[in-house]
């Protein structure tokens, strides 16, 4: 095989479509029984994209049928399933195939990809589309294991979970909680929301797409392209506040404060949901129904912190035991823990996890020295806080194809990024990141345990795209 792809989410499928067009042989190895990645896993009520739908799709595959400005999870999943069908990817898909280990063989410049309970796959190149937000973070809260009721993570929502009439605890107030709290509050008898740190929340400019708009997009695809371009440049302009200087994000705080004032009348509650850190330091959320949900009679916002969980209750640091039937962990993901539990052994047997112990890094977020013919999609420092990661992903896919083409042109069997090029790339990135709003003094999933940011791209997205336009052969070694 030319290429083995791991993961069948946006990344893996996007890569596969491109390889099919390039006429390469490839296989997609997916541990779950279905495609869709994050959009297959996050099925909680209210799950939707917080990037406007005109921008949240592959550039080559616009969807004139999105039902809303911010598309719901089920529609995005359907979109990806349609892509599989349209681009004939099914014969290349191996579902239920969990990759456990991949070893590079220097003698024949191939990757040997080991899968649980099956024959290994051998391919010249290996592309990892693992998804940065795919491993749920289960918090270490005293007593969680002894709780006798139901406990689940927001990204592991049980298909049958009816919470009607139940007493529910939700832990966390990030993007997932902001979406699931309003629909759960509507059916639960009681909802206790445990907030450790409030989020800055902007109004969500959501609305259904009208039948006329959809017809227009179908008939004149250029109109949808124009809306996509408008959405792209609007988000880029808004993003400068995060990337150029934290002070520029202050206007976001003003809008958020007005949003709180407009939606919450209780002074104490207003104060409790107002963050004390710079807007943008943690991800800014979009919601019109989260604050009204907090004001419901059956909802309690608990800010006291959690002391422990007993067999049937969550006990706050205020000493109050709140009896619950179900605990929902909206506690986020292990974003800076990119590879676990995969073992990737490169040239001279070095494990990528070990290589990254001093800091996660990759050239253009994609390639790592010592690991020839290996590519990471949505790898280090490619995630965005303000726009669509699908844009970054497509630029990365272009770069991977650049590597494959250049290797072919030079009749080389291995491509490896130069150590010095990688180091320079990272030094520049981290100098910029140290001035950005994400380093302004809060804790977030963007940062690792040393306070370093291996997650976000620190500039405008067109800059990343421009860097992938021309293949930088001077940064690579071919052999
Ligand atoms: P998150 O933003 O990391 O939020 C996790 C929440 O859990 C935080 O409020 C955190 O509090 C809290 N928490 C964690 N451990 C805790 C503990 N031991 N005790 C009490 N509270 C604890 O996770 P998320 O909401 O799942 O969102 C993650 C990212 O996924 C988002 O930022 C976004 O990029 C993406 N996402 C996107 C969408 C969308 O597009 N619609 C939807 C959902 C998620 P602290 O803040 O104090 O740590």
């Amino acid at each position: 095989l030319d290429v083995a792809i791991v993961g069948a989410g946006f990344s893996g499928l996007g890569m596969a479509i491109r390889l099919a067009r390039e006429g390469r042989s490839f296989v997609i190895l997916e541990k779950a029984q279905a495609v869709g990645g994050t959009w297959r896993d996050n099925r909680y009520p209210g799950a939707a994209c917080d990037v406007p739908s005109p921008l949240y799709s592959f550039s080559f595959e616009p969807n004139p049928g999105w039902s809303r400005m911010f598309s719901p999870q089920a529609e995005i999943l359907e979109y990806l399933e349609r892509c599989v069908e349209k681009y004939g990817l099914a014969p290349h898909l191996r579902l239920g195939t969990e990759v456990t280990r991949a070893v590079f063989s220097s003698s024949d410049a191939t990757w040997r990809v080991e899968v649980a309970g099956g024959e290994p796959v051998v391919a010249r190149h290996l592309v990892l589309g693992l998804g940065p937000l795919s491993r749920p973070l289960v918090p270490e809260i005293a007593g969680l294991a002894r709780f006798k009721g139901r406990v689940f993570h927001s990204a592991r929502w049980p298909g049958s979970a009816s919470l009607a009439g139940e007493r529910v605890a939700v832990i966390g107030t990030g993007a997932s909680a902001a979406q699931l709290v309003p629909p759960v509050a509507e059916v639960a008898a009681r909802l206790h929301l445990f907030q450790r740190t409030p989020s800055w929340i902007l109004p969500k400019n959501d609305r259904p797409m009208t039948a006329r708009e959809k017809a227009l997009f179908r008939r004149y695809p250029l109109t949808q392209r124009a809306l996509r371009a408008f959405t792209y440049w609007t988000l880029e302009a808004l993003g400068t506040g995060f990337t150029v200087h934290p002070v520029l994000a202050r206007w976001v705080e003003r809008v958020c404060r007005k949003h709180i004032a407009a939606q919450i009348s209780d002074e104490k509650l207003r104060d409790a949901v107002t963050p004390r850190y710079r807007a943008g330091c943690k991800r800014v959320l979009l919601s019109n129904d989260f604050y009204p949900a907090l004001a419901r009679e059956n909802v309690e916002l608990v800010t006291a912190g959690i002391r422990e969980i007993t067999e049937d209750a969550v006990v706050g640091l205020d000493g109050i035991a709140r009896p619950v039937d179900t605990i929902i962990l909206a506690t986020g993901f292990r974003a800076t823990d990119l590879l676990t539990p995969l073992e990737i052994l490169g040239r001279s047997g070095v494990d990528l996890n070990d290589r990254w112990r001093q800091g996660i890094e990759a050239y253009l977020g994609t390639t790592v020295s010592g690991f020839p013919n290996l590519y990471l999609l949505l790898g280090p420092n490619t995630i965005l806080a303000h726009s669509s990661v699908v844009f970054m992903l497509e630029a990365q896919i272009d770069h991977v194809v650049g590597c494959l083409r250049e290797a072919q042109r030079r009749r080389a069997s291995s491509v490896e990024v130069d150590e010095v090029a990688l180091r320079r790339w990272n030094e520049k990135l981290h100098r910029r990141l140290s001035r950005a709003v994400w380093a302004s003094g809060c804790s977030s999933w963007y940062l690792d345990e040393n306070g370093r940011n291996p997650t976000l791209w620190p500039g405008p997205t067109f800059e990343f795209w421009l860097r992938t336009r021309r293949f930088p052969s001077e940064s690579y070694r071919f052999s």
Side-chain angles (χ1 to χ4, degrees):
L1 287 170
D2 286 329
V3 185
I5 302 171
V6 186
F10 249 109
S11 305
L13 297 179
M15 187 76 238
I17 293 170
R18 189 65 194 278
L19 290 176
R21 285 180 169 173
E22 293 277 313
R24 306 267 175 177
S25 58
F26 65 93
V27 67
I28 313 166
L29 308 169
E30 166 59 56
K31 89 174 159 201
Q33 293 294 347
V35 301
T38 198
W39 299 106
R40 173 201 60 222
D41 291 345
N42 285 275
R43 295 168 172 268
Y44 55 80
C49 190
D50 56 11
V51 172
S53 36
L55 192 57
Y56 200 79
S57 61
F58 292 123
S59 58
F60 54 84
E61 187 60 33
N63 175 17
W66 295 126
S67 68
R68 306 190 64 83
M69 265 315 258
F70 291 85
S71 30
Q73 167 264 336
E75 274 183 39
I76 305 175
L77 184 58
E78 270 168 38
Y79 169 84
L80 289 172
E81 288 165 351
R82 271 203 310 278
C83 285
V84 170
E85 209 179 297
K86 176 168 174 183
Y87 292 95
L89 301 183
H92 304 269
L93 262 173
R94 290 202 205 157
L95 299 174
T97 305
E98 183 177 5
V99 173
T100 50
R101 192 169 186 254
V103 184
F104 183 72
S105 154
S106 297
S107 56
D108 58 358
T110 55
W111 281 95
R112 186 187 154 89
V113 185
E114 295 172 16
V115 300
E119 285 294 302
V121 173
V122 176
R124 172 78 64 209
H125 301 270
L126 175 62
V127 177
L128 302 180
L130 302 172
L133 299 175
S134 57
R135 283 162 305 286
L137 187 152
V138 174
E140 284 171 19
I141 299 176
L144 182 59
R146 85 186 121 137
F147 182 66
K148 289 260 164 62
R150 231 177 359 178
V151 186
F152 51 85
H153 189 273
S154 55
R156 297 289 179 269
W157 201 270
S160 58
S162 164
L163 299 166
E166 286 201 7
R167 297 161 305 171
V168 179
V170 176
I171 302 179
T173 45
S176 303
Q179 293 187 340
L180 69 86
V181 162
V184 171
E186 263 178 36
V187 297
R190 191 107 189 94
L191 190 158
H192 305 282
L193 175 61
F194 290 87
Q195 170 186 282
R196 192 162 66 178
T197 319
S199 296
W200 286 107
I201 304 183
L202 284 168
K204 189 172 186 177
N205 198 8
D206 195 12
R207 62 170 180 82
M209 300 302 257
T210 65
R212 272 182 80 173
E213 282 171 318
K214 290 191 224 172
L216 191 72
F217 295 157
R218 281 209 172 89
R219 187 119 193 241
Y220 304 105
L222 215 60
T223 54
Q224 196 175 18
R225 295 232 162 253
L227 181 59
R228 182 179 172 96
F230 173 77
T231 311
Y232 173 81
W233 289 109
T234 309
L235 294 183
E236 281 308 293
L238 298 179
T240 51
F242 301 151
T243 52
V244 176
H245 197 284
V247 169
L248 294 176
R250 277 201 188 147
W251 71 266
V252 177
E253 290 168 24
R254 276 200 292 277
V255 181
C256 291
R257 283 182 205 279
K258 276 195 188 151
H259 192 39
I260 293 173
Q263 293 205 312
I264 302 177
S265 53
D266 180 67
E267 271 303 326
K268 262 174 82 179
L269 187 56
R270 277 186 189 175
D271 186 57
V273 298
T274 305
R276 306 285 189 258
Y277 54 85
R278 190 92 297 154
C281 189
K282 285 173 183 285
R283 191 173 170 102
V284 176
L285 313 185
L286 303 176
S287 176
N288 299 331
D289 52 4
F290 179 67
Y291 291 141
L294 300 190
R296 290 175 67 107
E297 292 248 308
N298 63 333
V299 175
E300 181 200 18
L301 180 74
V302 186
T303 56
I306 301 170
R307 192 174 78 198
E308 60 168 337
I309 293 175
T310 62
E311 284 185 0
D312 61 356
V314 181
V315 185
L317 285 172
D318 52 8
I320 300 174
R322 292 164 178 90
V324 290
D325 306 299
T326 296
I327 299 177
I328 300 170
L329 304 172
T331 42
F333 300 87
R334 300 189 176 280
T336 55
D337 209 0
L338 278 181
L339 286 180
T340 327
L342 248 184
E343 205 183 350
I344 306 280
L345 305 183
R347 194 166 42 75
S348 29
V350 176
D351 185 335
L352 188 50
N353 280 308
D354 290 334
R355 164 83 163 70
W356 275 351
R357 270 194 227 293
Q358 305 103 35
I360 294 173
E361 56 179 22
Y363 180 69
L364 281 165
T366 314
T367 48
V368 185
S369 52
F371 295 81
N373 299 1
L374 175 74
Y375 313 91
L376 298 126
L377 297 178
L378 296 184
N381 299 103
T382 56
I383 304 304
L384 303 174
H386 69 287
S387 189
S388 169
V389 285
V390 183
F391 180 89
M392 300 293 278
L393 179 59
E394 286 192 44
Q396 280 193 290
I397 290 173
D398 278 347
H399 184 66
V400 176
V401 169
C403 289
L404 302 193
R405 284 186 182 166
E406 188 64 15
Q408 193 170 26
R409 198 179 69 76
R410 295 176 185 235
R411 294 169 178 257
S413 53
S414 94
V415 187
E416 184 181 337
V417 68
D418 182 60
E419 173 79 42
V420 177
L422 170 58
R423 203 171 327 121
R424 278 205 201 114
W425 169 258
N426 260 284
E427 280 166 8
K428 273 195 203 143
L429 267 187
H430 285 280
R431 255 200 309 278
R432 288 169 74 176
L433 282 163
S434 66
R435 297 189 294 263
V437 69
W438 313 299
S440 64
C442 69
S443 75
S444 74
W445 61 263
Y446 301 148
L447 309 180
D448 65 16
E449 66 273 17
N450 303 316
R452 197 170 166 276
N453 188 336
T455 313
L456 293 178
W457 168 247
T461 59
F462 55 82
E463 182 191 332
F464 188 82
W465 176 79
L466 282 172
R467 285 175 187 274
T468 53
R469 283 300 74 202
R470 185 189 73 83
F471 182 72
S473 39
E474 66 284 0
S475 300
Y476 280 90
R477 289 194 312 221
F478 297 85
S479 50

